[in-house]
Amino acid sequence: MQPPLPRGTGKYPHGKTGLSRILHTVIYSRDGFMATVRSEAAFRQLLVLHGVLMAVTFVLDLSPAERAVMLAVSFISLLVELLNSAIEAVVDRISLERHPLSKNAKDMGSAAQSVALLMVAAVWAVVLLA
């Protein structure tokens, strides 16, 4: 356990500030992304799906705003899946025992991803059918 933040110094207890903190943030983000790629089949499937969708946006005759929105919703879906995977990892870390609250947490994460995918479908439908 890390000691509490020193009062009034503005320093982080881990001692990383400035460029060092930014560099370590990038490394931690890469590690989290790669852990998700290695351990979550759903995330790998979404990477393929959204990779294809993103590539298609550059082939279609779209306005810059339409392309930006279509790209953004794909990134949002990937972001939601990263958070869903994090929720599942934390729940599993706490206990592998079946518990209603654990089920709720995992189901809510899954529901968030379903809403994100509905958003992707809705945006694509509106842009392509308008």
Side-chain angles (χ1 to χ4, degrees):
M1 187 168 132
Q2 293 184 350
L5 291 173
R7 294 183 184 268
T9 65
K11 299 278 183 182
Y12 295 94
H14 49 65
K16 295 177 184 78
T17 59
L19 291 177
S20 174
R21 182 169 181 260
I22 292 168
L23 174 64
H24 281 86
T25 298
V26 170
I27 292 168
Y28 301 146
S29 296
R30 180 212 57 205
D31 291 349
F33 185 86
M34 294 310 299
T36 309
V37 168
R38 283 190 300 273
S39 65
E40 296 292 332
F43 186 70
R44 291 190 299 272
Q45 292 168 342
L46 286 171
L47 275 176
V48 171
L49 169 68
H50 290 300
V52 169
L53 290 177
M54 289 177 177
V56 168
T57 65
F58 291 99
V59 175
L60 296 174
D61 183 27
L62 302 169
S63 72
E66 290 170 329
R67 183 172 290 115
V69 171
M70 293 169 92
L71 291 170
V73 296
S74 284
F75 280 114
I76 290 169
S77 176
L78 292 171
L79 180 137
V80 169
E81 185 58 31
L82 285 166
L83 294 173
N84 182 35
S85 296
I87 290 167
E88 290 182 359
V90 169
V91 168
D92 289 346
R93 166 63 175 88
I94 292 169
S95 174
L96 293 175
E97 173 186 323
R98 291 187 183 266
H99 189 280
L101 292 176
S102 297
K103 181 181 182 333
N104 286 350
K106 289 184 170 191
D107 289 351
M108 290 172 191
S110 179
Q113 183 54 258
S114 294
V115 170
L117 289 171
L118 286 171
M119 178 182 59
V120 170
V123 166
W124 275 75
V126 166
V127 170
L128 295 179
L129 300 175

